[in-house]
Amino acid sequence: LSPFFNETVYCLGVERLLGIEAPARAQLIRVLTMEINRISSHWVWLATGGMELGALTAMTNGFRAREKCLDVFEMITGLRMNHAYVRPGGVAQDLPEGYDEKIRDWIKEMRVELGGVDKLLRGQTIWVNRLKDVGWIGVEGCIALGVTGPLLRAAGLPWDMRKTEPYLGYETFDFEVPTDDRGDCWSRFVVRVAEMHESLKIIEQ
């Protein structure tokens, strides 16, 4: 689900050991691909969660939106998954010609898809009832179990490595760290959707 994150964290480790730093453009490309990947990963979460809850339209729409993310990955790397694109010292190749127009079109499509999530799910009684007050875990429980990411932020702690220990120039971007304080499945839904909006802001920048 997160190939660009896996590739990048490995390469950052190698680069730290070698005492080198990727060029600024390569760092920006890494950020770009990781934020598209974050959105793609959240779509899979929404789609599979919808499938398990019987919300089949959430599933089909979620995977449709994810396919659009994979289209962008294929345009950039030549592959839809298992990219081997991020390499120690930079990336495998520069962005292809016309990438900016393709990504701007994709951003518009993602905003339409996210608008559909709000219309389809946010006020839908069955969806709300199946998520609210279900699967609760608080901040203390998250920390005790080593839980991070959207689950920790959905419990109320705004811990995000991009803000707390910035890397790849994340400190130069304007974005928020969405949180909620319920600590339940509803909060995780709210936080992940909000994170997709914030990732789009980063990608635009």
Side-chain angles (χ1 to χ4, degrees):
L1 290 180
S2 302
F4 288 103
F5 290 90
N6 294 334
E7 293 175 16
T8 300
V9 72
Y10 172 78
C11 290
L12 286 173
V14 171
E15 289 161 6
R16 182 178 294 181
L17 289 169
L18 293 175
I20 63 173
E21 188 174 273
R25 181 172 177 82
Q27 293 190 39
L28 281 173
I29 293 171
R30 289 175 176 184
V31 169
L32 176 71
T33 55
M34 284 194 299
E35 292 306 320
I36 297 171
N37 199 168
R38 186 184 309 274
I39 292 170
S40 171
S41 178
H42 284 355
W43 280 125
V44 173
W45 175 86
L46 183 71
T48 54
M51 179 174 62
E52 296 295 339
L53 293 174
L56 297 186
T57 308
M59 178 195 71
T60 55
N61 290 6
F63 278 119
R64 177 184 66 201
R66 189 225 184 186
E67 283 296 310
K68 294 175 182 178
C69 300
L70 299 187
D71 290 342
V72 176
F73 294 158
E74 186 175 19
M75 181 264 300
I76 292 173
T77 73
L79 295 165
R80 299 178 78 75
M81 293 185 286
N82 305 322
H83 312 280
Y85 180 69
V86 181
R87 309 280 178 89
V91 293
Q93 63 211 23
D94 201 355
L95 296 169
E97 186 177 345
Y99 78 90
D100 50 345
E101 183 179 348
K102 172 77 174 177
I103 291 175
R104 286 192 181 99
D105 290 343
W106 171 83
I107 289 170
K108 292 175 186 173
E109 292 177 336
M110 289 300 102
R111 291 219 160 98
V112 171
E113 294 285 3
L114 285 167
V117 168
D118 285 340
K119 289 179 183 177
L120 179 69
L121 298 174
R122 197 172 292 269
Q124 212 283 342
T125 304
I126 297 173
W127 180 260
V128 173
N129 289 341
R130 288 182 176 176
L131 294 182
K132 280 193 173 177
D133 301 320
V134 173
W136 180 87
I137 185 169
V139 172
E140 289 184 359
C142 288
I143 293 172
L145 294 170
V147 173
T148 61
L151 276 74
L152 180 59
R153 294 189 282 275
L157 187 65
W159 180 266
D160 188 320
M161 294 290 286
R162 298 172 297 174
K163 290 283 191 182
T164 55
E165 296 180 31
Y167 55 96
L168 295 176
Y170 267 111
E171 66 275 9
T172 66
F173 290 92
D174 178 25
F175 67 100
E176 302 299 323
V177 178
T179 61
D180 204 60
D181 59 4
R182 295 179 61 94
D184 59 3
C185 290
W186 176 257
S187 282
R188 289 165 213 146
F189 164 68
V190 169
V191 164
R192 279 189 169 93
V193 172
E195 284 190 3
M196 288 197 271
H197 284 289
E198 294 302 314
S199 288
L200 288 175
K201 283 168 53 178
I202 294 171
I203 293 163
E204 283 181 314
Q205 291 171 63

